[in-house]
Amino acid sequence: MEQQELKLEQQYLAVTLSTAQKQLECARKTITAKQAEIINEKQNTSYDLSDFDALVALSQSAGFVADLLSRHTQAAQQIARLEQILQTPYFARIDFRFDADGETETVYIGRSSLTDEATEHTLIYDWRSPIAGVYYRFLTGNAFYEAPCGKITGEVMLKRQYEIQKGSLQYFFDADLEITDEMLRRLLSQNASPAMKAIVETIQQQQDLVIRDMENDLLLVQGVAGSGKTSIALHRAAYLMYRGLEGHLAANDILILSPSAAFERYISQVLPELGEDQVTTLSLEDILKKLLPKRAIQPRSDWWENLLTHPQRKEAMQRHMRFQMSEDFCTVLEHFLEEIHLYLPLGDLVINGVCLVSADMMRQRLSTRPKVPLGIRLQQLEAYLLSICGEQEDLTPEEKHQLRQTIHQWCKPDICGLYEKLFCDPAVFHAWTNNALSAADCAQFCRDTKENLQSNVLPFADAVAMGYLTMRIYQNSPYRGIRQLIVDEAQDYDPLQYRLLHLLFCQAKCTILGDTSQSIAKKTSPQLYTAIQRIWNKTHTSFITLEKSFRSTQEIFQYSLQFLPENTPIQGFLRNGRPVHVYPVETRQQLVEKILEEMKDMTGSLCLLCRTEKEARLLYAALSDHVPIRLAQAKGAEDLRGTLIMPVYLAKGLEFDHVILCDIDPDHLADDDERQLCYIGCTRALHGLSLIFERKD
């Protein structure tokens, strides 16, 4: 029976590969022909630009060439897809018997579909197709899936998995599990690649529920470290584009909010690997620069660095940031917006010694129709004042020009200057807080903020607040075309940041993924997701918890648990490896020597993690003469090959074969912040973890 099954599977594979090969040859001929047409058209395009008929012909030719280029691109994408199919055409099969007619269909599942054009028989189903969802969600037995025509019920008669490499069937086995643990364990045991890989072969049932969710406008995912949140986010983007063929959802309609440039590079190959265009990835700092183009803005990583390198100021900095990003500060900003016309730098419009419009009259005009965005009211005021100037016939052109500039400055206020006025009167500020802070704390907060604003670089938290004011005043988002927003590392954002994101992407559906145990320098509870729901206020919202961690070996997983609060809901995936190594040393020199010794036995990717970039730089200087190593910095989009050294906060979202924590003493962690930092560092490791540190007195 087994030999007969093997023979049938080999025959099916041969037919599939033959069909793909024929289509590939046809696609290559097509693309060669398109290339020749494009070259020929461009060579024959030579027109007299002073001749109207020639210009019309040129326009038509340009349109023809654009169409040829589009078809050329489609052919190139088809070639890439077919070449991938020839390597690994499919990874799974289900036999599904339909309740409606009792017929059984054999469904082979791969990364992309393949149809025999002569018979119109589907040889491979795309993993995102409705019927393929049965493979991820059901064991053998009763099952169903949602098709465009409605709910289809039936029975899974067979569930089979394949290992096919370079078009050759290595083995197959029947699986009566969600996704066979042995296959997953084997894949997880491999070395990490420098870029994240697609995981379509091993998507778990809960992960699939998130990826395929089309019912909710707001999807919230709390997932422990290693639960696959980032992979889910990217596969969801691929699924949305697949389903978006009906609603014309393209890659440029989706935006991923990412934590760092290194993370953006790390995830950059997943969607192309799945046959889709890469979507836009931006950090919150990128968005703030778009909103506040005239100011240099402090990266959030710099704030973390300052906090971790100045422990004596840590409590004050955290207290300041906690309030500045809170709902209470949002309330203060809303009070300020209600009365912002009183703070605008308006002046009397005086022409030839006569006051035609006083500043008070302008403020009165701006205070009416409060539901109309202030930005529009300011535009209307500017138009009104300019019309008055235009009526003054005795003004010289130079005087009119000067007046126009003055009026424009009044009606296009500097957001930074306006924001500074918020802190000029601590008593008013305190009244607006509704006693969330004491009068003394308000006075201190105002003093500290005004001092921070004197820097040439705008502090990150103040940039967020100014971005919020900008959006509330002008309500003109540069991202209004985004229809799907994916936010990773949700725990790193606070209420004010979520309010800003809501203003920027209010028309978009959102997928927000995070882990409250991986916050840096702050406490984050699951109540964060309740706050997000309140801010976004979407009718259809779902909250999903992922409690199973797949990344690390059982030894690393168990060791990491000590840094979490007791009773944290988390499960590990049983995959054994080497023990965690913990080495306290007495001196700096011993630290360097022990790190070099530990590195000798490590293969694959290795990352040395330090508490701060300052410490990473010092250690890099000590190690770089002995081993090839690269220092990763916040502004760099690092290639993750080889050996890297970086601060822990830059490693969020990344993973490595081996990790060495170089300056964190696990037995003498000062507070919850330090424990969370240690937890983040430990959970970056797949196969090996070492902690090497100078012993504290």
Side-chain angles (χ1 to χ4, degrees):
M1 182 64 179
E2 288 183 6
Q3 286 300 316
Q4 184 179 357
E5 281 292 303
L6 176 60
K7 185 176 180 180
L8 290 172
E9 289 292 0
Q10 288 175 332
Q11 287 174 351
Y12 192 87
L13 177 60
V15 169
T16 301
L17 294 176
S18 174
T19 303
Q21 184 63 45
K22 289 176 184 177
Q23 292 186 13
L24 178 61
E25 290 169 3
C26 182
R28 284 174 173 164
K29 289 178 182 177
T30 299
I31 201 170
T32 301
K34 295 299 177 191
Q35 288 172 341
E37 284 186 81
I38 292 168
I39 293 170
N40 183 62
E41 185 64 25
K42 287 186 174 181
Q43 287 176 341
N44 294 332
T45 301
S46 177
Y47 298 103
D48 179 2
L49 298 183
S50 63
D51 184 339
F52 177 77
D53 292 335
L55 287 174
V56 172
L58 178 60
S59 174
Q60 293 172 342
S61 175
F64 179 63
V65 170
D67 182 58
L68 287 175
L69 287 170
S70 175
R71 294 183 184 183
H72 180 276
T73 300
Q74 291 174 2
Q77 291 171 339
Q78 184 184 16
I79 287 171
R81 181 179 63 82
L82 289 166
E83 287 176 339
Q84 186 184 62
I85 286 176
L86 287 172
Q87 294 294 310
T88 309
Y90 46 82
F91 56 86
R93 163 187 164 184
I94 57 170
D95 291 357
F96 188 80
R97 185 170 66 192
F98 294 87
D99 286 342
D101 56 14
E103 293 290 324
T104 299
E105 182 174 358
T106 297
V107 177
Y108 285 82
I109 302 167
R111 293 193 176 187
S112 56
S113 61
L114 180 69
T115 300
D116 186 325
E117 295 170 349
T119 64
E120 296 186 351
H121 173 65
T122 302
L123 295 167
I124 308 171
Y125 284 81
D126 191 295
W127 68 276
R128 296 166 290 186
S129 63
I131 196 170
V134 171
Y135 169 71
Y136 295 110
R137 297 193 184 185
F138 295 97
L139 311 178
T140 52
N142 293 333
F144 67 88
Y145 64 94
E146 297 292 340
C149 61
K151 186 176 181 179
I152 306 296
T153 60
E155 183 180 358
V156 178
M157 309 301 294
L158 174 73
K159 187 173 179 179
R160 181 169 288 176
Q161 292 175 256
Y162 303 87
E163 177 67 19
I164 301 174
Q165 295 179 3
K166 297 182 179 179
S168 174
L169 178 61
Q170 305 297 306
Y171 59 84
F172 68 88
F173 51 87
D174 295 341
D176 198 18
L177 295 171
E178 293 178 22
I179 301 293
T180 301
D181 282 358
E182 279 306 316
M183 185 177 190
L184 180 56
R185 194 173 288 113
R186 180 178 57 79
L187 289 172
L188 292 172
S189 297
Q190 296 174 1
N191 280 348
S193 63
M196 179 179 279
K197 295 290 187 180
I199 60 164
V200 293
E201 297 88 349
T202 57
I203 293 170
Q204 304 292 289
Q205 184 185 52
Q206 264 196 310
Q207 295 173 335
D208 189 67
L209 288 170
V210 179
I211 291 168
R212 293 176 188 264
D213 187 296
M214 296 296 289
E215 297 177 3
N216 292 289
D217 299 324
L218 175 62
L219 191 57
L220 301 168
V221 181
Q222 159 61 26
V224 299
S227 58
K229 294 184 296 299
T230 302
S231 291
I232 290 170
L234 293 165
H235 286 71
R236 177 162 173 74
Y239 181 76
L240 290 170
M241 282 187 272
Y242 177 84
R243 287 294 302 269
L245 293 174
E246 306 161 15
H248 305 290
L249 183 74
N252 58 4
D253 298 320
I254 303 173
L255 186 142
I256 296 177
L257 201 61
S258 77
S260 68
F263 177 85
E264 290 177 27
R265 177 162 179 163
Y266 179 57
I267 67 174
S268 63
Q269 295 305 308
V270 174
L271 287 171
E273 195 178 329
L274 292 171
E276 298 292 350
D277 294 333
Q278 177 63 302
V279 302
T280 302
T281 55
L282 292 175
S283 66
L284 185 55
E285 287 91 331
D286 294 328
I287 291 174
L288 293 173
K289 289 173 185 175
K290 186 90 171 179
L291 294 176
L292 307 167
K294 296 180 181 179
R295 293 294 299 265
I297 297 172
Q298 175 197 43
R300 179 167 35 187
S301 57
D302 282 7
W303 187 85
W304 285 333
E305 180 74 12
N306 290 338
L307 186 81
L308 295 170
T309 53
H310 298 93
Q312 70 280 7
R313 291 166 44 197
K314 178 181 177 181
E315 185 178 344
M317 289 177 67
Q318 284 181 306
R319 187 169 59 248
H320 188 100
M321 175 68 87
R322 188 163 53 246
F323 177 73
Q324 199 165 10
M325 293 290 103
S326 70
E327 291 278 16
D328 292 320
F329 189 64
C330 293
T331 302
V332 171
L333 291 175
E334 288 302 318
H335 281 299
F336 182 58
L337 284 161
E338 288 173 6
E339 300 187 17
I340 201 166
H341 59 279
L342 301 176
Y343 295 88
L344 293 169
L346 303 175
D348 296 338
L349 180 62
V350 178
I351 298 176
N352 294 329
V354 178
C355 179
L356 298 180
V357 184
S358 69
D360 287 341
M361 290 171 62
M362 296 179 199
R363 296 186 202 283
Q364 178 62 33
R365 190 181 182 97
L366 288 170
S367 66
T368 60
R369 298 177 300 142
K371 292 185 178 180
V372 176
L374 178 62
I376 292 177
R377 284 179 276 158
L378 284 167
Q379 288 178 0
Q380 293 170 343
L381 175 63
E382 182 174 11
Y384 169 66
L385 297 177
L386 289 174
S387 68
I388 292 176
C389 291
E391 295 170 358
Q392 309 304 309
E393 297 179 355
D394 54 346
L395 293 177
T396 66
E398 291 77 13
E399 289 171 330
K400 285 187 176 182
H401 175 71
Q402 183 61 46
L403 275 173
R404 281 195 293 269
Q405 284 189 322
T406 300
I407 291 169
H408 184 71
Q409 289 174 357
W410 289 344
C411 298
K412 188 72 172 177
D414 172 46
I415 295 294
C416 298
L418 269 180
Y419 179 71
E420 288 182 27
K421 294 183 179 181
L422 174 60
F423 308 100
C424 291
D425 191 334
V428 172
F429 189 93
H430 177 241
W432 286 343
T433 66
N434 295 327
N435 293 316
L437 291 181
S438 68
D441 286 341
C442 282
Q444 184 64 50
F445 183 86
C446 289
R447 283 196 298 273
D448 291 344
T449 304
K450 286 194 291 186
E451 181 180 337
N452 292 341
L453 291 173
Q454 299 309 306
S455 169
N456 292 329
V457 177
L458 190 60
F460 173 75
D462 295 296
V464 173
M466 290 183 198
Y468 180 78
L469 287 178
T470 300
M471 282 302 302
R472 286 283 284 108
I473 290 171
Y474 295 106
Q475 297 186 21
N476 184 24
S477 172
Y479 307 103
R480 62 178 59 185
I482 297 299
R483 295 163 58 191
Q484 290 280 353
L485 173 69
I486 298 173
V487 180
D488 205 357
E489 304 292 346
Q491 72 281 355
D492 288 341
Y493 302 90
D494 296 290
L496 181 58
Q497 291 157 301
Y498 279 112
R499 287 191 177 277
L500 172 59
L501 293 175
H502 179 246
L503 290 173
L504 288 162
F505 304 101
C506 61
Q507 301 300 319
K509 295 183 178 182
C510 304
T511 304
I512 299 178
L513 312 97
D515 179 12
T516 53
S517 296
Q518 294 190 65
S519 300
I520 291 182
K522 67 172 184 174
K523 292 180 180 178
T524 305
S525 75
Q527 293 303 311
L528 169 70
Y529 299 105
T530 304
I532 295 171
Q533 289 183 56
R534 184 173 61 252
I535 291 167
W536 238 268
N537 194 29
K538 297 285 189 182
T539 303
H540 302 289
T541 300
S542 178
F543 176 70
I544 295 175
T545 302
L546 303 175
E547 297 179 353
K548 194 164 188 178
S549 176
F550 299 96
R551 176 182 294 140
S552 304
T553 62
Q554 193 67 11
E555 289 80 2
I556 296 170
F557 172 77
Q558 290 294 337
Y559 183 83
S560 302
L561 291 181
Q562 66 181 296
F563 306 114
L564 293 177
E566 290 186 19
N567 303 318
T568 298
I570 183 171
Q571 307 166 36
F573 181 74
L574 186 56
R575 177 173 69 87
N576 293 318
R578 71 171 207 172
V580 174
H581 295 165
V582 181
Y583 302 114
V585 297
E586 301 297 331
T587 66
R588 181 76 174 183
Q589 181 60 34
Q590 289 177 351
L591 176 76
V592 172
E593 291 172 356
K594 192 62 186 177
I595 290 172
L596 291 170
E597 180 185 333
E598 191 73 358
M599 290 173 65
K600 291 178 182 177
D601 298 327
M602 295 181 176
T603 58
S605 61
L606 167 63
C607 188
L608 280 61
L609 294 176
C610 302
R611 287 181 68 258
T612 65
E613 184 176 315
K614 179 181 178 181
E615 178 60 29
R617 287 180 179 279
L618 291 172
L619 196 54
Y620 169 76
L623 293 169
S624 57
D625 288 340
H626 303 280
V627 290
I629 188 171
R630 287 178 294 118
L631 175 67
Q633 302 177 64
K635 296 178 182 178
E638 298 296 336
D639 184 339
L640 301 184
R641 288 183 176 86
T643 302
L644 292 173
I645 184 167
M646 67 175 74
V648 172
Y649 55 77
L650 285 189
K652 289 169 71 68
L654 307 179
E655 62 183 27
F656 305 89
D657 292 314
H658 303 278
V659 166
I660 300 177
L661 289 184
C662 301
D663 60 351
I664 299 179
D665 182 347
D667 297 324
H668 297 86
L669 298 173
D671 52 28
D672 288 342
D673 292 342
E674 294 292 319
R675 279 185 281 277
Q676 285 182 318
L677 205 65
C678 195
Y679 175 72
I680 293 168
C682 290
T683 54
R684 300 309 94 201
L686 277 77
H687 312 307
L689 173 65
S690 303
L691 290 86
I692 306 174
F693 53 91
E694 289 185 68
R695 195 192 307 272
K696 294 185 178 180
D697 295 332

